[in-house]
Amino acid sequence: MSDFPFSGLNLAIATPFDAQGRIDLGRLEQNIERYIAAGIRGFVLSSGTGMHAYLSADESKSLVKKGAKIINGRAKIIVQTSALLVEDVVERTRHAKDCSADGVMVLPPFFEGPTDDRGIVDFYTEAAKGGLPIIGYNVPQAVGVAITPSLLRELCAIPGFCTVKDSGGDLGKQASLIRTGLPVMNGADHLVAYALYAGCSGLIWGGANFAPRTTVALVEAAASKDWADVRKIWASLEHVMSLLWEGDYVQSVYAAADLVGYGAGSPRKPLRALPADRVATLRRALGTLVEREAA
C-alpha cells in the first residue's frame, strides 16, 4: 500500500455537534488532536459518517477550513465534496484545495442522475476540473449507481481520478475491483480485515472513530503481513463492526464514540440518537475496546 497516496487508515471523522445541533469546532479540535496522538495519519472531513448530507455548503466549508488548520500537515486530508450539481462539486473541490487538502471523495450523480457508464464518466471528467485527486464513491445501495470493474478502468483513465472507495459491502464484488490491478479503497467496516488480505489499497473507516488505537494496530499488522496478528486484533473489532453494518450506521458510530470517550454529541436531525436498548447492545459488542482505547 506504500505507493498509494491514501494508503493505510483514513478516519471518516464524525462531525461534532453541540446541544443545539451546531458544529462544535472546539470539540473537533480536541478529537483531532486525540486521534493524531493515537496514530491516525489520514482524515476524511465532511464524510458520510460526518453527516455531509446534512451540512450546508457553508458549514461544510467552515468545517474543512478549521479541520485542515488543526491538522496542519500532520496527516493526509481527504474532503468529501459531493453535490447534486457538478459545478458545485468543482467549486467545493477548489475550496478544499485552498485549504491544503490532499484529495476529495465524490459520489457519482445521485437523485435521478445518469446511471449509464458514459454519464458517470462524463460527470467525473467534469468533477476533475476542481484540481485535486478524486476518490470515487461506490455505495450502490444508497445512490443506485454501481462501479463495476469495466467502469473503474474507464474512470481511472480520467486525469485526476485515482481510486474508488467501495462501500457496497460485498467482498466478492470488491475483490473483482481489486483484481483489475487498479487502486481500490475499502469503506465497509465489517470487511476490513478481509479487504486488507485481498489487497485493497487503503481504508476509509468510520468505525475507527471509537477505536483509533486498535484500528491503527490492525492496519500496521496488515502492512507487515502479520496475518495472525491481524486476525487476533480483528477478533476484538469484528462484532461491533458487523453490528454497525446492520443498520443505523451513523447513529451507532456517534453512540459508540461517546461510550469510548471520543464523543461528538448526537447526530444532527433528521437522525436521532440511538434508543437505550440499542446503546446497551452496542456497549456489549464493544467488549474490551472501551478499556483498550482508554489505556
Side-chain angles (χ1 to χ4, degrees):
M1 296 193 296
S2 59
D3 294 334
F4 180 65
F6 306 112
S7 64
L9 170 55
N10 300 276
L11 170 63
I13 188 170
T15 300
F17 297 104
D18 64 18
Q20 287 72 46
R22 300 169 300 199
I23 295 176
D24 188 338
L25 294 177
R27 178 64 65 84
L28 176 71
E29 181 166 11
Q30 292 172 14
N31 284 350
I32 287 176
E33 291 295 345
R34 293 186 65 200
Y35 287 132
I36 290 175
I40 299 292
R41 294 295 177 263
F43 289 89
V44 185
L45 301 174
S46 199
S47 65
T49 307
M51 301 203 68
H52 174 84
Y54 300 105
L55 303 178
S56 70
D58 286 343
E59 284 178 320
S60 179
K61 289 177 181 177
S62 175
L63 174 71
V64 170
K65 183 177 180 179
K66 179 64 173 179
K69 184 177 180 181
I70 296 165
I71 294 167
N72 192 28
R74 293 177 292 169
K76 292 276 188 177
I77 299 173
I78 299 166
V79 175
Q80 180 166 193
T81 58
S82 301
L84 283 171
L85 296 176
V86 71
E87 293 85 358
D88 290 343
V89 174
V90 171
E91 195 273 332
R92 288 181 179 216
T93 299
R94 288 173 175 162
H95 175 266
K97 185 176 182 180
D98 289 343
C99 294
S100 301
D102 299 287
V104 293
M105 183 174 68
V106 180
L107 283 165
F110 54 97
F111 192 69
E112 300 182 350
T115 57
D116 63 293
D117 286 4
R118 186 70 258 160
I120 305 304
V121 170
D122 288 347
F123 171 84
Y124 277 113
T125 299
E126 288 296 310
K129 293 178 180 178
L132 282 176
I134 290 180
I135 299 167
Y137 194 168
N138 189 44
V139 55
Q141 65 270 31
V143 178
V145 173
I147 297 179
T148 62
S150 60
L151 178 54
L152 179 61
R153 292 185 184 96
E154 289 190 71
L155 292 172
C156 285
I158 300 170
F161 189 101
C162 68
T163 185
V164 64
K165 171 198 173 186
D166 178 37
S167 295
D170 185 315
L171 182 60
K173 290 181 179 179
Q174 185 174 132
S176 72
L177 295 174
I178 293 170
R179 285 196 298 272
T180 64
L182 297 166
V184 175
M185 302 182 77
N186 176 64
D189 302 57
H190 66 309
L191 298 182
V192 168
Y194 314 106
L196 288 168
Y197 186 76
C200 73
S201 301
L203 307 170
I204 293 178
W205 197 351
N209 277 281
F210 56 79
R213 291 184 176 87
T214 309
T215 54
V216 166
L218 183 140
V219 172
E220 289 177 346
S224 299
K225 300 190 183 304
D226 186 347
W227 300 112
D229 199 27
V230 169
R231 187 67 191 93
K232 180 180 177 182
I233 298 168
W234 182 240
S236 69
L237 293 164
E238 188 168 15
H239 186 188
V240 69
M241 294 302 166
S242 295
L243 184 63
L244 294 182
W245 214 251
E246 292 176 7
D248 296 329
Y249 179 87
V250 171
Q251 303 96 306
S252 297
V253 170
Y254 273 75
D258 186 62
L259 287 169
V260 177
Y262 288 89
S266 295
R268 175 176 273 184
K269 295 177 181 179
L271 300 186
R272 295 180 296 175
L274 284 185
D277 61 332
R278 179 76 175 182
V279 174
T281 299
L282 191 61
R283 175 63 184 87
R284 289 192 295 271
L286 285 168
T288 61
L289 284 174
V290 176
E291 292 75 22
R292 183 193 298 258
E293 291 296 328

